[in-house]
Structure formats: structure tokens, C-alpha cells
């Protein structure tokens, strides 16, 4: 194991990434790889088996459809028979035959016997032709009409044929309108059976204008002969309606979580087929889903690894931060899985309640925004699988898209948060944008009921608030367990009412003012090179807290008193000055201050040389004595291990040096800043942090600009040249 123990161990790092992959696999394996059972047809089931997803019960669905089809009433077609035309044709034929004097009465009787059926058949054929032309494909209706006209044809009594030749032209003229009227009136009704209409013929004829018994009798017989059914069973139409009824019948579903078979119950063929259709039988083992899930988990881990590799945060090499990331993933996935249990209770939209943004928000605050962005994508993918219900594809965008939106919203809402209240505001933003996304999806889908819409909206709003509550509750745990200095914690530590800062202000006001000035300088310098400006500012407040043990030995606190160092040995002065770093670390530990703050207090001087006391000691050294080694008058270190500690060290030296100048000029400030940076660079004080020469140049410029603002009213501007005069005017205007 490399120096640094498990915190930098490659083996531990590899193990953590493997655990992440295992977490992804476990999170979705129940959705991708359903449980199977060893069930035999005709045997007794050893377990109670539940439906793993919503499944259409084909047998019950078919029964319901057939029942709906049976309830459909037969469809009838009402045809226009045009029987009045047949009446006119019969009366015309009677006129023609009766007017023929060459035919004997007996011959006329024989003609009538053949004419009436022929005319009936001709009229029927004409009707068949019209049916064929209007609906050629409806052969069943045509057959139904033929059968009805054939079976319900009226048979004229034999004696009627002997009476027909006796009818005169006047009789036929009187009979025709009455016969047409009677037939028209009776055929206006829907007649499935012609006999019902024929029974009313006598009543209508007897109330007509006809006075002769013979004509009334002949009209009755002609009307009965002409009347036919006009309502026919339409088999094709009936089948179409039954087909529509089957089609409109909703399928019968077995819902997720319903019992398919109870323990000890006999496995019937229907149950066996149902289990087979839901892929719950161990008929053949396929490892392809497992392989696919392993590959998917590996891809998710690889994508996360690549983002971590490109990150400039400590997680790039530190296992502590990686362990914290794994723990955040575990908490987020656990929350998602717990909420998913509600889907088995028929709350299909409960997935919107999941605090998916919890992980994204914690990662943004504790680790960094880039890792939070890729994590948001991963959380969205997991949500689209975990909450998938009945979707054809593996991923259900109805949950994946809202999860991505709330995660991204939480990142941008919380990235610059410096107060705990900001977390609650971010939670409200999550609720708002999550609800908007869900409403948009509902409008697009347009299949939700009002109850489902209300529940989805309520779940979404609750999710944002639940996320905020969880983040606020979990933040102290991560800050203490992992020694994390979040922006929120830093802001709390910068409160002037903190006991150490109050002690610094009341006992060493000079040091307090110095620390505030160093904080302003270091924050600006840190932000110019991408370091943590807030950490520099707060760390500066505490970097000289050790001076409170012997405040009078430090020049900024020596107001109207003699300098005690003038009367003591240089070695003792050195010990007192050097001790303030060690004393500060001890005081910070006593108040449980985070390690980054303690490190700044310990490292801000590095191993620099106390030149004044070193040269004083050399001056007091007697001739012949061994030379005093520089190491005795150096700070014990360690050297700055981070950009922030190095920047505070520079700002500390610059502030003290510039403060010693009575009326500093721009050139003096610039010379002083660059001299201090160069001396520390030449002394190797930046060898153990990752500040580059370019960073040092940027820091120098930023410190000059900041000091220019601080000492604006005191800076003397050279007036020897017009150019210098112009520069002075511009600076004053700024």
C-alpha cells in the first residue's frame, strides 16, 4: 500500500468502483431479471407466486368479449319494398284480361292463377337486384330477404280466382286507390312477420269508400297478397356490431402483485400457461439478461470514472471522497427503491415522490458540480428502469425525464448556496420544475384520470420538499464523518459570533484586523486561479488564532507598549513566534474545527525562515562560535499542501509587509508582492502544492489590484511625468 494508507490505495479505489457497479446491478436486477419458479403442470405449487408486472388475462378477456358480443341485439335492415307498384301492376293486369272478350271466364281464371305468382316473383326479383346493387357484399341479407318473401308469400284462395273475371272496369277503378292506400299504410310499419299486417286489412278495407261486398273482398285479397315483410335480420350487420362490442371491451388484466397461484394450489393448465406467458417458469435458463445488465452497470461505472478522472476536485485521487460518493449513491438508490415499493400498492405514480435529487444536491455541495452532472444522468437512467411499469422498452421516460430535470434543477439551484435556507429554496425549485415536467408529460400522453393527475402533482411537490429535508438532515453527518468543509459550513464558521473569532477580536484586535485583511486578499487571489476562495477567506480568519495565547509578542497587537522581543534572546523570540502555528492547531482541535482549517493554520508559514531573529542571533553570536544553522530559525512546517494554504501564506506575508509601509506607492506594492512570492518560490515553499508559475503571476496581479483598492486613499502616485499624472487620475476615478 502506498504512503497515505487506504486513502490513496489503488486497491481500495478499485473496490469502491466495483461496489458502485454492484449497486447499479442490484438496483435494477428485479426489473430486468424476473424471478422464476420450478412449477409442473398438474402438481401442487410449493410457493405463492405473485404477478411481477401487469399482464393481460387472455382467457378472461375472451370470456368478457364473448359476453359483450352476446348482449348485442340482432341488427335488422328496413327495406323499401315498393309494394304499391305491385298493386298498380295487378290492377292493370286485371283490366287488361277482363277487357278481353275473346277469353272465356274459365280461361281468365287459369290466367289469373299463373299471373299473380309470376308478378309476385318479378317484383321480388326487382327487389333482389336493388339489394345487390346497393350492397354487393351483403349476401346474407339477400338470402334472408329471399327466404322471408318465399316463406311468407300469401296464397290466394281458389274461389277468388273465379270472382276476379266478374269485376268491371268501374269496379277496378274504385278498388285501385283503396288497395294502394291500405297497402301503403300497412307497409309503413316495420314488418318482421307479414301476417300481423294482413290481419288488419279487413278493418281498413271495411272503413274505405267501397260499397260493394265483392270489391271489398277482392281488395282485401289483393292487399294480403301484396303485403310482405320489410324488416329482415341483417347477419352481417349483427356480426359487425358484435365485433365492435368485442373490440370496445376493455381487456381483463392481472395487476402487478396479484396472486397467480397460492401455495398448495393445484397447477391447472390455465395457470401454467399464465405463468409461462409471464416468463415465471424455469423452462430454459438464459444468462443474456444478466450479461446485459452487467455490461450496462459497467458502462455507468465507466462514465462516472471518466468524469472523476477529468475532475480537478480531491476525488480524482482521494478515496475518502470516493467513499463518500459511493455512500451518497447508496442512500439515493435506497430511497428510490423504498418509494418503488409503493407501486405494488397500486399507487402507479408514486415514483414521482422519490427524492431522486437528493444525490445530485449532496454531490454538488460536498464534491463538485461536474460529478453531480454525470450522476444526474445515472440517477435518471436508474429511475427510468426502477419505476418502469408496463412500458414496452426497458427505460420508461415518464420517470427518467422528470428525474433528470429535478436533478439538474437541484444542481443549478444549490451550486452557489452559502446558507442552510438555500437548500430549502432549492427543494422548492425542484418541486416547481418537477411538477412542470410531469404536467407536460400528462398533456402529451393524455390518458391520465383526474385522480392520477392530482396524485402525480402532489407526489412531485412532496418530492422536492422531502429532498430538501433529507439534505439538511444528512449534511451534518457527511461534514463530521468525512471532515468535509461545505460552503454552508464555511459560512457558518465565518460568523463573528463564533467563540474563537470573538476571542480573537476581544483579546487580539490587531490580529483580528490582520486576519480579515488576509481573508480579503486570499479570497480574491484564490478565485483568480480556480481555488476555493471561500475556504481561503474563512481559513484566514483562523490562521493566526494561536496568537491569542501570547498576543503582546506580535507586532500588530503592540499598541503603546514596548516590544517584549527587545529584551529577550532571539531563540526565545523564535520559539514564541513559531509556537503560534502549533498553538493554533491545538485550539482548533479543541473546538472540533474541520481539518482543512487546521491545515491552513499549520501550513500557512510552511518552513519559512524567521529572518529578523535569525540575523539578530547571528549578530549577537560571539566570535569563534559555531555558525547558527538556518533550520533552527525556520517554522517546523509542513509546507503548504494545498493551493489555499499557499495562497494564504502569500497573502499573510504581503499584508504584513505592506502594512509596514507608511505611504505605499503602486511600485512599492508591486515590488513587495513579487518579492515575497519570489522568496517563497526560491525557498521551495510551493514544492508540495500544485501552484504553477502562471498561477503565481495571476496571484501577484490580483493581490496588486486588491491592495490598490484597500490602500487607495494612502497610495502616493509619482507626478514626475505626464503619463504618471494620467495614471493617478485614472486610479482615483476607479
Amino acid at each position: 500500500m502506498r504512503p497515505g494508507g487506504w486513502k490513496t490505495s489503488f486497491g481500495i479505489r478499485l473496490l469502491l468502483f466495483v461496489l458502485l457497479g454492484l449497486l447499479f446491478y442490484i438496483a435494477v436486477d428485479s426489473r430486468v431479471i424476473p424471478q422464476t419458479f420450478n412449477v409442473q403442470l398438474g402438481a401442487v405449487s410449493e410457493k405463492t407466486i405473485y404477478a411481477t408486472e401487469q399482464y393481460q388475462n387472455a382467457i378472461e378477456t375472451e370470456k368478457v368479449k364473448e359476453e359483450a358480443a352476446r348482449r348485442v341485439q340482432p341488427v335488422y335492415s328496413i327495406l323499401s319494398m315498393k309494394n304499391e307498384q305491385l298493386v298498380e301492376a295487378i290492377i292493370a293486369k286485371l283490366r287488361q284480361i277482363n277487357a278481353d272478350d275473346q277469353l272465356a271466364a274459365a280461361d281468365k281464371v287459369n290466367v289469373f292463377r299463373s299471373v299473380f305468382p309470376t308478378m309476385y316473383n318479378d317484383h321480388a326479383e326487382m327487389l333482389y337486384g336493388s339489394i345487390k346493387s346497393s350492397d354487393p357484399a351483403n349476401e346474407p341479407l339477400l338470402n334472408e330477404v329471399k327466404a322471408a318473401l318465399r316463406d311468407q308469400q300469401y296464397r290466394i284462395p281458389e274461389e277468388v280466382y273465379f270472382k276476379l273475371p266478374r269485376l268491371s272496369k268501374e269496379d277496378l277503378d274504385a278498388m285501385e286507390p283503396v288497395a294502394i292506400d291500405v297497402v301503403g299504410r300497412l307497409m309503413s310499419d316495420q314488418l318482421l312477420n307479414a301476417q300481423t299486417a294482413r290481419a288488419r286489412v279487413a278493418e281498413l278495407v271495411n272503413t274505405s269508400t267501397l260499397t260493394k261486398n265483392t270489391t271489398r273482398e277482392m281488395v282485401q285479397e289483393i292487399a294480403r297478397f301484396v303485403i310482405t315483410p320489410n324488416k329482415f335480420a341483417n347477419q352481417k350487420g349483427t356480426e359487425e356490431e358484435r365485433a365492435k362490442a368485442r373490440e370496445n371491451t376493455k381487456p381483463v388484466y392481472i395487476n402487478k402483485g396479484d396472486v397467480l397461484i397460492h401455495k398448495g394450489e393445484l397447477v391447472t393448465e390455465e395457470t401454467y400457461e399464465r405463468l409461462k406467458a409471464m416468463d415465471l417458469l424455469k423452462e430454459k435458463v438464459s444468462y443474456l439478461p444478466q450479461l446485459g445488465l452487467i455490461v450496462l452497470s459497467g458502462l455507468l461505472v465507466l462514465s462516472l470514472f471518466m468524469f472523476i478522472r477529468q475532475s480537478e476536485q480531491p476525488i480524482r485521487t482521494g478515496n475518502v471522497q470516493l467513499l463518500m460518493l459511493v455512500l451518497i449513491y447508496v442512500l439515493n438508490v435506497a430511497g428510490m427503491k423504498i418509494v418503488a415499493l409503493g407501486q405494488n400498492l397500486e399507487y402507479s405514480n408514486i415514483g414521482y415522490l422519490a427524492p431522486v435529487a437528493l444525490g445530485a444536491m449532496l454531490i454538488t455541495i460536498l464534491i463538485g458540480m461536474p460529478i453531480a452532472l454525470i450522476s444526474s444522468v445515472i440517477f435518471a437512467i436508474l429511475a427510468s428502469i426502477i419505476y418502469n411499469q408496463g412500458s414496452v422498452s426497458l427505460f420508461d421516460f415518464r420517470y427518467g425525464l422528470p428525474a433528470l430535470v429535478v436533478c439538474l434543477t437541484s444542481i443549478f439551484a444549490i451550486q452557489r448556496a452559502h446558507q442552510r435556507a438555500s437548500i430549502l429554496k432549492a427543494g422548492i425549485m425542484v418541486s416547481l420544475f418537477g411538477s412542470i415536467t410531469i404536467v407536460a408529460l400528462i398533456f402529451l400522453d393524455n390518458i391520465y384520470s383526474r385522480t392520477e393527475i392530482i396524485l402525480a402533482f402532489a407526489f412531485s411537490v412532496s418530492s422536492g420538499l422531502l429532498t430538501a429535508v433529507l439534505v439538511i438532515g444528512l449534511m451534518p453527518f457527511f461534514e463530521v464523518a468525512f471532515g468535509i468543509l461545505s460552503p454552508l459550513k464555511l459560512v457558518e464558521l465565518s460568523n463573528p459570533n463564533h467563540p474563537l473569532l470573538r476571542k480573537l477580536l476581544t483579546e487580539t484586535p490587531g490580529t483580528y484586523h490582520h486576519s480579515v485583511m488576509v481573508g480579503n486578499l486570499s479570497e480574491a487571489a484564490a478565485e483568480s486561479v480556480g481555488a476555493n476562495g471561500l475556504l481561503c477567506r474563512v481559513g484566514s480568519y483562523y490562521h493566526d488564532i494561536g496568537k491569542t495565547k501570547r498576543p503582546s509578542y506580535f507586532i500588530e497587537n503592540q499598541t503603546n507598549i514596548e516590544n517584549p522581543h527587545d529584551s529577550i534572546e532571539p531563540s526565545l523570540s523564535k520559539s514564541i513566534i513559531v509556537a503560534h502555528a502549533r498553538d493554533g492547531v491545538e485550539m482548533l482541535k479543541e473546538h472540533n474545527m474541520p481539518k482543512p482549517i487546521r491545515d491552513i493554520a499549520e501550513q500557512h508559514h510552511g518552513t519559512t525562515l524567521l529572518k529578523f531573529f535569525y540575523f539578530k542571533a547571528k549578530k549577537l553570536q560571539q566570535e569563534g562560535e559555531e555558525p547558527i544553522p538556518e533550520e533552527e530559525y525556520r517554522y517546523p512546517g509542513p509546507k503548504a499542501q494545498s493551493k489555499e494554504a499557499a495562497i494564504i501564506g502569500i497573502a499573510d506575508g504581503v499584508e504584513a509587509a505592506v502594512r509596514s509601509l507608511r505611504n505605499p506607492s503602486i511600485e512599492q506594492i508591486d515590488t513587495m508582492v513579487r518579492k515575497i512570492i519570489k522568496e517563497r518560490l526560491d525557498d521551495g515553499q510551493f514544492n508540495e502544492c500544485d501552484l504553477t508559475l502562471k498561477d503565481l503571476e495571476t496571484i501577484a496581479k490580483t493581490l496588486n489590484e486588491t491592495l490598490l483598492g484597500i490602500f487607495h486613499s494612502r497610495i502616493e502616485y509619482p507626478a514626475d511625468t505626464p503619463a504618471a499624472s494620467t495614471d493617478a487620475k485614472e486610479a482615483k476615478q476607479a
Side-chain angles (χ1 to χ4, degrees):
M1 190 175 289
R2 295 183 300 177
W6 72 272
K7 296 181 180 179
T8 56
S9 168
F10 174 78
I12 297 296
R13 195 168 187 81
L14 180 62
L15 176 62
L16 291 174
F17 278 113
V18 171
L19 289 176
L20 270 177
L22 184 61
L23 174 66
F24 297 152
Y25 185 96
I26 295 173
V28 299
D29 69 330
S30 60
R31 298 287 183 181
V32 179
I33 309 170
Q35 185 180 6
T36 56
F37 302 90
N38 187 13
V39 177
Q40 300 296 326
L41 181 62
V44 173
S45 175
E46 298 178 356
K47 295 181 179 179
T48 298
I49 303 175
Y50 300 88
T52 56
E53 60 185 9
Q54 191 179 59
Y55 169 74
Q56 183 176 331
N57 190 336
I59 296 176
E60 288 300 320
T61 299
E62 191 60 31
K63 288 180 180 178
V64 172
K65 287 184 175 182
E66 288 304 318
E67 180 62 28
R70 278 195 298 270
R71 289 197 298 268
V72 172
Q73 297 296 322
V75 175
Y76 292 95
S77 293
I78 310 300
L79 302 180
S80 176
M81 305 301 290
K82 300 179 181 179
N83 289 357
E84 294 89 341
Q85 295 178 6
L86 181 56
V87 172
E88 293 175 353
I90 290 175
I91 297 296
K93 198 67 174 176
L94 287 173
R95 286 196 187 99
Q96 178 187 354
I97 295 174
N98 286 349
D100 190 352
D101 296 335
Q102 296 180 358
L103 287 175
D107 295 331
K108 291 179 181 180
V109 171
N110 292 329
V111 171
F112 291 144
R113 285 195 187 103
S114 61
V115 164
F116 273 76
T118 301
M119 294 182 71
Y120 183 89
N121 291 334
D122 291 342
H123 184 75
E125 288 296 332
M126 180 186 67
L127 181 64
Y128 302 155
S130 65
I131 294 174
K132 285 183 179 179
S133 61
S134 62
D135 192 359
N138 201 344
E139 190 70 24
L141 176 61
L142 180 60
N143 294 332
E144 181 70 20
V145 173
K146 286 182 178 181
L149 294 184
R150 182 184 63 248
D151 296 340
Q152 297 188 43
Q153 183 177 354
Y154 182 73
R155 297 183 181 278
I156 298 176
E158 185 65 23
E159 64 270 16
V160 172
Y161 291 120
F162 289 95
K163 296 178 182 180
L164 289 174
R166 303 173 189 172
L167 297 173
S168 64
K169 182 178 180 300
E170 291 74 14
D171 293 336
L172 293 173
D173 291 340
M175 290 168 53
E176 184 174 7
V178 175
I180 291 174
D181 179 62
V182 171
V183 171
R185 289 169 64 181
L186 293 175
M187 290 296 295
S188 63
D189 296 333
Q190 296 180 11
L191 302 178
L192 187 61
N193 189 340
Q195 189 58 37
T196 57
R198 289 168 183 160
R200 298 174 54 199
V201 169
E203 177 187 350
L204 294 177
V205 172
N206 290 335
T207 59
S208 69
T209 58
L210 295 175
T211 57
K212 292 183 179 181
N213 290 334
T214 303
T215 55
R216 285 202 295 265
E217 181 185 357
M218 292 303 101
V219 168
Q220 290 179 25
E221 294 301 325
I222 291 172
R224 293 187 182 107
F225 177 75
V226 170
I227 290 174
T228 61
N230 61 5
K231 181 179 179 181
F232 306 94
N234 190 338
Q235 184 179 351
K236 179 183 176 184
T238 302
E239 290 301 324
E240 288 176 352
E241 290 300 316
R242 288 175 178 170
K244 287 181 182 178
R246 292 189 186 95
E247 194 175 313
N248 294 332
T249 301
K250 291 183 178 180
V252 178
Y253 287 101
I254 297 173
N255 294 318
K256 180 181 177 182
D258 287 352
V259 176
L260 298 176
I261 186 170
H262 290 278
K263 181 179 180 180
E265 188 178 341
L266 190 67
V267 181
T268 63
E269 185 174 353
E270 179 181 342
T271 304
Y272 187 84
E273 291 299 323
R274 192 176 298 164
L275 294 172
K276 183 178 180 180
M278 297 185 73
D279 295 326
L280 293 175
L281 297 179
K282 287 185 177 179
E283 292 184 330
K284 56 180 181 179
V285 179
S286 175
Y287 295 102
L288 292 180
Q290 289 91 333
L291 178 61
L293 185 53
I294 290 173
V295 172
L296 176 61
S297 302
L299 290 175
L300 295 179
V301 172
L302 179 62
S303 62
L304 186 60
F305 168 77
M306 296 305 295
F307 267 79
I308 292 175
R309 185 179 179 184
Q310 300 299 322
S311 173
E312 296 183 358
Q313 303 296 326
I315 193 174
R316 180 179 180 181
T317 55
N319 290 341
V320 174
Q321 290 79 9
L322 184 58
L323 175 60
M324 180 171 59
L325 180 67
V326 173
L327 183 57
I328 292 173
Y329 267 80
V330 170
L331 291 173
N332 209 52
V333 171
M336 294 165 65
K337 295 289 285 184
I338 290 172
V339 172
L341 297 176
Q343 287 184 312
N344 296 332
L345 303 176
E346 298 184 1
Y347 293 101
S348 59
N349 292 330
I350 201 171
Y352 296 133
L353 178 63
V356 184
L358 167 66
M361 204 177 291
L362 285 173
I363 294 171
T364 303
I365 298 172
L366 301 174
I367 298 177
M369 182 176 175
I371 308 301
L373 289 174
I374 183 60
S375 297
S376 297
V377 177
I378 293 174
F379 293 146
I381 293 174
L382 295 178
S384 66
I385 300 176
I386 291 174
Y387 300 115
N388 185 0
Q389 274 198 322
S391 179
V392 176
S393 63
L394 176 62
F395 307 98
D396 192 342
F397 79 97
R398 294 174 299 175
Y399 295 98
L401 179 60
L404 181 61
V405 169
V406 298
C407 286
L408 295 179
T409 300
S410 68
I411 291 173
F412 292 109
I414 203 68
Q415 62 172 330
R416 297 190 182 276
H418 290 166
Q419 294 180 350
R420 300 284 173 181
S422 301
I423 298 177
L424 182 58
K425 294 178 182 177
I428 295 173
M429 293 293 289
V430 167
S431 296
L432 175 62
F433 282 91
S435 301
I436 292 173
T437 306
I438 290 169
V439 168
L441 291 176
I442 289 173
F443 288 166
L444 288 172
D445 212 354
N446 198 26
I447 59 172
Y448 289 87
S449 66
R450 180 179 299 178
T451 302
E452 290 176 324
I453 293 174
I454 294 173
L455 280 176
F457 189 81
F459 286 147
S460 178
V461 172
S462 301
S463 173
L465 300 178
L466 177 62
T467 299
V469 170
L470 290 175
V471 171
I472 292 173
L474 290 171
M475 278 292 297
F477 163 75
F478 283 101
E479 289 170 347
V480 173
F482 293 93
I484 297 298
L485 252 182
S486 67
L488 304 176
K489 183 67 174 178
L490 284 171
V491 170
E492 290 178 359
L493 293 176
S494 67
N495 190 334
N497 290 321
H498 190 282
L500 287 179
L501 293 183
R502 289 184 63 84
K503 179 181 179 68
L504 188 68
L505 175 62
T506 55
E507 298 180 11
T508 57
T511 301
Y512 179 84
H513 179 264
H514 161 73
S515 298
V516 172
M517 297 294 290
V518 172
N520 293 333
L521 292 171
S522 62
E523 181 178 29
E527 290 180 349
S528 69
V529 295
N532 191 334
L534 183 60
L535 174 59
C536 283
R537 177 160 63 89
V538 178
S540 297
Y541 293 166
Y542 294 92
H543 81 290
D544 277 343
I545 193 68
K547 292 182 179 180
T548 57
K549 286 202 171 184
R550 304 174 189 87
S552 61
Y553 284 89
F554 297 92
I555 192 168
E556 65 267 23
N557 300 314
Q558 295 169 3
T559 305
N560 300 322
I561 63 171
E562 291 187 7
N563 189 341
H565 290 289
D566 294 340
S567 58
I568 62 175
E569 293 293 324
S571 58
L572 180 57
S573 296
K574 179 264 301 183
S575 299
I576 293 172
I577 298 298
V578 167
H580 88 273
R582 182 182 64 253
D583 293 339
V585 173
E586 291 175 356
M587 292 175 66
L588 293 171
K589 282 183 178 179
E590 290 174 3
H591 284 78
N592 296 317
M593 297 296 283
K595 189 175 184 300
I597 301 294
R598 302 199 307 267
D599 289 343
I600 287 173
E602 185 179 26
Q603 300 169 13
H604 72 280
H605 282 296
T607 57
T608 54
L609 177 67
L610 280 78
K611 291 183 179 180
F612 179 83
F613 296 109
Y614 173 66
F615 288 116
K616 181 180 179 181
K618 288 184 67 174
K619 185 177 180 181
L620 296 175
Q621 190 178 20
Q622 300 294 327
E623 292 185 8
E625 293 182 4
E626 293 186 5
I628 300 173
E630 283 189 1
E631 287 72 18
E632 289 186 11
Y633 281 82
R634 284 184 177 273
Y635 281 93
K639 295 178 181 180
Q641 303 296 304
S642 65
K643 284 184 178 182
E644 290 77 14
I647 291 171
I648 291 175
I650 296 172
D652 181 48
V654 166
E655 197 281 333
V658 174
R659 180 163 35 85
S660 67
L661 301 175
R662 177 167 299 181
N663 292 305
S665 65
I666 296 176
E667 290 79 3
Q668 286 178 315
I669 290 176
D670 182 64
T671 301
M672 188 70 71
V673 169
R674 294 185 181 277
K675 177 184 177 184
I676 290 173
I677 292 176
K678 185 176 185 303
E679 286 179 351
R680 287 183 173 248
L681 179 63
D682 293 341
D683 197 28
Q685 297 303 314
F686 305 135
N687 290 353
E688 297 180 17
C689 66
D690 53 354
L691 281 177
T692 64
L693 293 175
K694 183 179 180 181
D695 290 339
L696 293 175
E697 177 64 24
T698 303
I699 290 170
K701 291 180 180 178
T702 304
L703 289 175
N704 282 330
E705 294 171 358
T706 307
L707 287 167
L708 178 63
I710 294 174
F711 295 100
H712 187 277
S713 60
R714 295 171 48 193
I715 292 176
E716 294 181 355
Y717 295 91
D720 296 339
T721 64
S725 177
T726 302
D727 290 343
K729 290 180 180 178
E730 291 178 353
K732 289 180 180 179
Q733 291 173 356

